[in-house]
Amino acid sequence: MTTSRGHYYAGLQQIAAVANAGLTLRRTCNAVAKIIAVSMDMTGCRVLLLNTKKDYLTTVGSFGLSDLYLRKGPLDARKSLPEVLEGRIAVVQHAPTDARVQHPEVAESQHVVTIVAAPIVRKPDMVGEVRAYSRQPRTLSELDEDFLRSAANVCAVLFERAELSQFRDRVKKSCAKRATAALPAQMPPTSLKPTEFAHESEAEFASLLDFYQIEWLYEPRSFPLAWNGDGISLMFTPDFYLPELDMYIELTTMKQDLITQKNRKVRKLREMYPDINVRLLTRKDFARLLSKYGYGPQGDAKVEGVGRVLYSQTQIQRRVRSLARRISRDYAGQRIVMIGVLKGVVCFMSDLMQHISIPVRVDYMDISHYGGDGEIVKITRDLDAPIVGEHVLMVEDIVDTGMTLNYVLAHLASHKPATLRVCSLLDRTPRRLANVKLDYVGFEIPDEFVVGYGLDYKDEYRNLPFIGILKQD
Ligand code: PRP
């Protein structure tokens, strides 16, 4: 089919009408994708958003593409048609064999032959891409390219408008929050997240990740788990992918019998895709995670004091002395800078440093908490002195999700210490999300709510000389 100027004019007219129809970003982009595909006589099309770090592309709207194609995995902007990142139009003549295509096997299974892509530019920045797909070989005329670029320009305006309206929503939410002390705002402050979550808990989890500045993609990949003849009979799409941690997360906050099904799928996924790191968070896991920040069903749990002692004062002191001996041996002949994140670390830091036999300098940092005033984590107290070229030992009372440490270590590493190691008194691995390396660990503990020896529950119990498990109502 040859496309004429008049034909494309009609297409742009339709795009302009849809853009002005007051629909959500996703619905507008779905409609724009359809108009592009139909106008260009292509099989399908999608509108993609580039994340703020400019490394991943997420689908905002699509038309004519299978679920498997849309969720074939995170789209790495530098690996997949990288020339588009530089502002150029890309044409792939044969997707299954083109080196610029990141998932050629999926292109082949879905019979995608030609891919054309145009950058979405909001000057001076690249903010996304429009990609159209065809099952037939295609070349692009100058007119085709002009149309694709014009459609992409409209998408840039759509993104900008959505960002502005999110900003307005955030202002509204933060006013409401101040008035009612409600949940933290769901939208991140620096990037456009057009995601429509299936559940409130997913939005909440996303905003927690945003707080700790952990990049996430929502449902970017579907894993076929069973086939029926030529077709796929069972697929599994984990809710989140965290690219920096290379981890998929499935959030299951629903009924117990469905959890059993989910467990089965996760087990199957692990068997069939052994390289994939997937983590299932149950309702209980998630409630415990949120309770730490004072949210969720356990956020207001009544406690009836300490139920039992997990580690006595004597056990703690013995372990602290043994850690101090190891540290003194490992750093023999050197000076270290011990850095603690306030406040939980105070007891451990104070005891540990007294038993270290090499020269020590001590410094403290403090960071804002999730659900507080800001929407992203901030350093509220920074180091007193520079650490360039120093041997830094980061000291923690407890590592749970690892998100605090992940953030603080990145901050410290940017100050170029000679070495950077971590010592944590407690390690609660069942809650781990960010896989940070701990060099010295006092005790590995179960997934229980612990207090004492610096650790608090709503700012109480820090002064206990032992570590105990809270008795919850
Ligand atoms: C605790 C602890 C760590 C952090 C670890 O601090 O001191 O810094 O949690 O948790 P994560 O691995 O899940 O990020 P908390 O936020 O309770 O503040 P506090 O030390 O002032 O009590």
Side-chain angles (χ1 to χ4, degrees):
M1 175 177 144
T2 40
T3 30
S4 66
R5 202 165 282 275
H7 179 80
Y8 277 146
Y9 174 76
L12 283 176
Q13 233 180 354
Q14 287 172 20
I15 289 177
V18 162
N20 212 14
L23 305 173
T24 61
L25 179 66
R26 183 166 294 271
R27 289 185 67 192
T28 312
C29 288
N30 283 342
V32 169
K34 181 173 180 180
I35 299 165
I36 295 172
V38 172
S39 306
M40 295 184 75
D41 194 24
M42 302 286 276
T43 318
C45 177
R46 62 171 156 170
V47 179
L48 297 145
L49 175 76
L50 189 63
N51 67 341
T52 37
K53 290 185 191 160
K54 298 201 179 350
D55 41 20
Y56 286 93
L57 291 155
T58 318
T59 305
V60 190
S62 69
F63 167 77
L65 297 166
S66 69
D67 203 36
L68 182 64
Y69 196 83
L70 287 171
R71 303 217 161 114
K72 58 188 173 348
L75 261 191
D76 186 328
R78 291 184 187 93
K79 285 190 193 144
S80 176
L81 312 187
E83 63 267 51
V84 185
L85 262 192
E86 287 151 24
R88 282 180 281 144
I89 285 198
V91 182
V92 170
Q93 299 287 5
H94 189 250
T97 53
D98 195 304
R100 293 169 297 166
V101 174
Q102 209 193 326
H103 301 279
E105 69 296 343
V106 187
E108 180 155 33
S109 76
Q110 301 294 294
H111 313 291
V112 169
V113 175
T114 305
I115 306 176
V116 298
I120 300 178
V121 185
R122 205 172 62 197
K123 281 188 177 144
D125 265 346
M126 256 287 297
V127 291
E129 286 182 25
V130 173
R131 290 189 183 188
Y133 306 80
S134 165
R135 293 190 168 160
Q136 315 298 329
R138 275 286 302 263
T139 49
L140 280 198
S141 68
E142 223 172 280
L143 197 60
D144 297 328
E145 287 198 10
D146 282 351
F147 172 73
L148 200 58
R149 274 199 194 275
S150 305
N153 280 338
V154 176
C155 292
V157 178
L158 293 176
F159 285 4
E160 178 149 24
R161 193 179 61 190
E163 216 162 45
L164 278 177
S165 75
Q166 283 187 13
F167 175 73
R168 279 188 222 113
D169 282 355
R170 278 205 308 277
V171 173
K172 264 195 256 157
K173 267 189 192 150
S174 69
C175 294
K177 192 171 124 194
R178 253 176 263 137
T180 62
L183 280 173
Q186 307 286 329
M187 290 301 173
T190 50
S191 65
L192 176 62
K193 293 274 160 68
T195 313
E196 279 170 19
F197 294 103
H199 299 281
E200 178 72 8
S201 55
E202 293 169 355
E204 213 162 281
F205 185 61
S207 79
L208 178 61
L209 294 171
D210 282 332
F211 181 79
Y212 285 102
Q213 301 187 328
I214 294 177
E215 195 74 45
W216 54 266
L217 302 173
Y218 185 62
E219 297 188 334
R221 182 168 177 187
S222 292
F223 295 88
L225 296 180
W227 284 262
N228 186 357
D230 270 354
I232 295 162
S233 58
L234 185 65
M235 272 214 299
F236 180 46
T237 309
D239 298 319
F240 289 91
Y241 176 62
L242 317 183
E244 290 154 50
L245 313 176
D246 192 17
M247 177 192 279
Y248 286 87
I249 291 191
E250 176 64 15
L251 210 61
T252 304
T253 50
M254 47 196 192
K255 291 191 200 109
Q256 193 55 46
D257 51 332
L258 291 172
I259 297 181
T260 317
Q261 267 182 39
K262 274 269 175 74
N263 264 324
R264 221 172 281 142
K265 281 190 175 180
V266 169
R267 240 192 340 265
K268 201 150 189 188
L269 186 144
R270 286 193 180 124
E271 272 165 35
M272 294 177 65
Y273 304 86
D275 295 340
I276 297 294
N277 180 15
V278 60
R279 178 80 210 276
L280 186 74
L281 278 184
T282 64
R283 178 161 48 186
K284 196 164 138 204
D285 296 334
F286 192 55
R288 281 184 166 170
L289 187 66
L290 287 183
S291 69
K292 175 177 169 135
Y293 312 101
Y295 293 113
Q298 291 183 18
D300 273 330
K302 297 246 177 325
V303 297
E304 299 168 356
V306 175
R308 73 182 170 92
V309 174
L310 187 62
Y311 296 109
S312 67
Q313 187 174 13
T314 317
Q315 283 173 308
I316 297 173
Q317 292 304 327
R318 199 181 300 137
R319 191 73 190 115
V320 171
R321 280 198 299 275
S322 127
L323 283 173
R325 272 197 301 276
R326 261 187 64 203
I327 293 167
S328 307
R329 221 175 26 239
D330 290 355
Y331 287 95
Q334 288 163 335
R335 179 179 89 149
I336 57 171
V337 182
M338 292 170 70
I339 298 175
V341 178
L342 292 168
K343 304 173 194 154
V345 80
V346 286
C347 296
F348 180 44
M349 183 83 148
S350 148
D351 285 344
L352 187 67
M353 70 170 121
Q354 292 179 53
H355 295 290
I356 287 181
S357 55
I358 52 164
V360 161
R361 181 159 78 75
V362 173
D363 213 335
Y364 288 97
M365 291 173 65
D366 203 359
I367 61 173
S368 58
H369 294 269
Y370 178 67
D373 285 344
E375 285 177 340
I376 52 166
V377 61
K378 279 198 194 72
I379 292 169
T380 51
R381 185 200 188 281
D382 211 339
L383 301 175
D384 285 336
I387 53 164
V388 188
E390 300 272 7
H391 295 289
V392 170
L393 182 65
M394 169 79 210
V395 184
E396 268 287 22
D397 49 326
I398 187 164
V399 180
D400 266 334
T401 61
M403 293 197 285
T404 305
L405 203 53
N406 187 52
Y407 172 77
V408 173
L409 287 179
H411 172 77
L412 295 178
S414 71
H415 286 81
K416 309 259 181 296
T419 59
L420 180 55
R421 289 192 194 155
V422 180
C423 173
S424 180
L425 178 66
L426 305 179
D427 183 7
R428 189 155 47 191
T429 48
R431 295 194 189 175
R432 189 75 89 253
L433 293 173
N435 211 2
V436 279
K437 181 172 172 267
L438 307 184
D439 302 276
Y440 306 94
V441 172
F443 304 101
E444 273 198 30
I445 62 162
D447 195 1
E448 300 277 6
F449 214 119
V450 287
V451 291
Y453 197 62
L455 294 137
D456 72 312
Y457 178 70
K458 299 195 174 174
D459 249 341
E460 278 186 52
Y461 302 99
R462 289 196 202 270
N463 55 331
L464 298 176
F466 58 87
I467 293 172
I469 294 180
L470 274 189
K471 209 193 301 171
Q472 288 201 14
D473 187 6

